[in-house]
Amino acid sequence: MSYGSSFVANIMGLTSSLLELCWLYLQLFALRSEIYLQANVDEAIGSALGLAGAYMLARRGQYAALGWIAFLGSNVALIIFAMRNGHAFLLVLQICFVVTSALGIWNYLVKPMQPAKPPGTAAATLSLNPFPKPKPIKRGPEGRDTT
C-alpha cells in the first residue's frame, strides 16, 4: 500500500508542478502580449494612416491633399514605433519622410491658400521647378536640327 500512496503523491506533485509551470507560462505570455500589443499599436496606426494617405492621393478627389496629413501622422506613429523597438534605419527613413510630408502639406494645402501674386513681379516669375518645359527643337528643311 505504501507503493500506491507514494505513486499517487508523485502524480499529485507532478500535477502541481505542471500547473505551476502553466501558470508561470501564462503570466509570462500575458506580459509579453501586453508589450507586443503596445508595440503593435504604433505600428498598426502608422500603417493604417500610411495606407489611407496613399489611397487619398491615388484617388485624386477633393480630399487628396489630406493624404499628406495622413502621411505625416503615419510618419509620427512609425517614428515612435522605431524608437521603442530600436529600428534605427526605419527611424531615419521616417524622419526623411516627415520632410516629404511637410513639402506635400505646403504645396497642396498651405500654398494654394496664399493670395496670387500679380503677373510680372519677381515672385510670380520665379520658378523652382526642377523639370522646366523643354525648348522645341528647330528643324531645317531637310529635317535636321538647326540648334
Side-chain angles (χ1 to χ4, degrees), residues 59-80:
R59 289 285 307 209
R60 296 182 62 155
Q62 66 184 24
Y63 299 111
L66 297 179
W68 292 107
I69 294 175
F71 278 147
L72 186 61
S74 170
N75 301 143
V76 170
L78 290 174
I79 284 172
I80 293 169

Side-chain angles (χ1 to χ4, degrees), residues 108-120:
Y108 286 86
L109 294 171
V110 176
K111 197 173 176 182
M113 290 184 200
Q114 293 180 346
K117 303 290 182 189

Side-chain angles (χ1 to χ4, degrees), residues 64-107:
L66 297 179
W68 292 107
I69 294 175
F71 278 147
L72 186 61
S74 170
N75 301 143
V76 170
L78 290 174
I79 284 172
I80 293 169
F81 170 76
M83 288 174 60
R84 282 187 180 167
N85 296 296
H87 298 293
F89 291 110
L90 179 64
L91 178 63
V92 171
L93 178 69
Q94 293 304 317
I95 289 171
C96 293
F97 281 163
V98 165
V99 174
T100 62
S101 296
L103 283 172
I105 289 170
W106 173 261
N107 287 326

